[in-house]
Amino acid sequence: MTSTPPRGRGLRLLRGVAYAALPAEVVLFVCLLAGVRIPGVALLVGELLVLGLLAAEGLVWARLRRRGLSRREAVAELVPGPVLRITGHELRIMVSLVRWVARRPHGVEGADGVFPYARDQAALMYGFAFVCLVETVGMSYLLADWPFVHAVFLVLDVYTVLFVLGLHAASATRPHTLTGDVLRLRQAAHVDVRVPLDRIATVRQELLFTHEKAEGELNLAVGSQTSVTVELAEPVDVPRFLSGTPRPVRLIRLHADDPRALYGQLTRARTAPSPSQGPPPSV
């Protein structure tokens, strides 16, 4: 069994240099785009710093891999956890856009039941995306005389439109699923919880529009509503978004486009008789 090596001073120093160098590189790049004249020595020092940082990252990567860490574990050592989780979330959203266009939902292969939940938020998300699009056109017109500022805002506005559509695409392509003895509950690209059926105590079909935050509860509301409530006999761990630390949850409220179908199939799966073990041995 491979153990993760402790973080030494070298790794902490490397992270500190990265935190200082990357924002400086961004500032340098923005100044160049804006037409600010920068001395050649400053450019040379900046590029050497970035190259040195990349070389050091490569050496540490190779060293961690030689110690037996997997690629994922090595990246986790080099990059702060919150940065990895935010980056992964953004990538999942953009991939969901492609899956949405291609009509290829995620994680439904071999599922006994698939339960979409994005229908009741579609009008709101399309309306929000339309407002963002109108704002993009308006800002492009107002900033036409300032090319650099216009380019920056255009990139940000276009990304905002894609992000809003991606949130809805992630909800549409990542439905709740029931596979074997596991209920998988998801919300867009940031919540993915697997609940074993033997931990479920009760299931109720109830429509709720208010959800106060409480310890040990998880509300997966869509359009400010949930339609199915699941109480657990034993808690399941739900990772927090930024820290990744698990928090135990005993009550989950969720929404489905067809809550009756989810409730019915989940009830049947929980009460299904055990597979036959064959006739008893003869004495």
Side-chain angles (χ1 to χ4, degrees):
M1 184 176 178
T2 303
S3 60
T4 303
R7 297 172 182 171
R9 291 183 178 180
L11 188 56
R12 289 196 295 269
L13 177 62
L14 186 60
R15 284 189 172 185
V17 173
Y19 281 133
L22 294 181
E25 188 73 9
V26 172
V27 171
L28 189 63
F29 180 70
V30 170
C31 290
L32 288 174
L33 285 179
V36 178
R37 297 187 63 181
I38 299 176
V41 175
L43 287 174
L44 179 61
V45 171
E47 295 308 312
L48 288 177
L49 179 62
V50 172
L51 290 175
L53 179 62
L54 291 176
E57 293 271 1
L59 290 174
V60 174
W61 164 273
R63 186 177 178 183
L64 292 173
R65 292 285 287 154
R66 283 197 300 269
R67 291 184 180 182
L69 270 69
S70 65
R71 291 186 178 90
R72 183 183 295 272
E73 291 170 338
V75 170
E77 285 293 318
L78 289 172
V79 183
V83 175
L84 278 179
R85 280 181 281 277
I86 292 174
T87 303
H89 179 257
E90 301 289 311
L91 290 175
R92 288 192 295 273
I93 284 179
M94 294 305 150
V95 171
S96 295
L97 273 174
V98 179
R99 285 184 170 273
W100 189 37
V101 173
R103 298 180 180 272
R104 294 184 59 188
H106 175 271
V108 299
E109 298 81 4
D112 302 319
V114 177
F115 311 101
Y117 55 86
R119 183 185 61 197
D120 292 335
Q121 73 174 16
L124 175 64
M125 300 303 289
Y126 291 151
F128 191 26
F130 178 74
V131 170
C132 292
L133 184 61
V134 171
E135 190 264 347
T136 300
V137 175
M139 292 299 293
S140 296
Y141 176 77
L142 293 174
L143 299 176
D145 294 333
W146 294 277
F148 172 71
V149 179
H150 173 269
V152 171
F153 272 86
L154 181 61
V155 170
L156 293 176
D157 287 340
V158 170
Y159 183 79
T160 300
V161 174
L162 290 176
F163 185 83
V164 172
L165 291 175
L167 284 175
H168 180 62
S171 297
T173 59
R174 303 169 73 87
H176 306 311
T177 60
L178 178 62
T179 305
D181 59 351
V182 175
L183 175 65
R184 186 177 186 182
L185 304 176
R186 297 187 283 188
Q187 188 174 52
H190 58 280
V191 177
D192 192 339
V193 184
R194 288 175 169 84
V195 181
L197 295 186
D198 58 7
R199 295 195 185 187
I200 297 178
T202 60
V203 180
R204 299 191 301 274
Q205 184 181 339
E206 57 180 359
L207 187 61
L208 299 175
F209 291 93
T210 57
H211 308 87
E212 296 182 2
K213 290 185 177 181
E215 191 66 28
E217 296 183 3
L218 176 64
N219 297 309
L220 304 179
V222 175
S224 300
Q225 64 179 323
T226 58
S227 51
V228 177
T229 301
V230 178
E231 292 188 17
L232 306 179
E234 297 181 30
V236 295
D237 289 333
V238 179
R240 301 178 190 274
F241 180 66
L242 286 179
S243 65
T245 56
R247 68 181 183 97
V249 167
R250 283 186 172 271
L251 180 69
I252 302 177
R253 301 184 183 95
L254 61 135
H255 183 65
D257 293 345
D258 189 351
R260 182 177 299 178
L262 173 57
Y263 172 79
Q265 190 159 349
L266 186 56
T267 301
R268 288 191 297 272
R270 292 179 59 238
T271 58
S274 301
S276 175
Q277 302 298 323
S282 57
V283 179

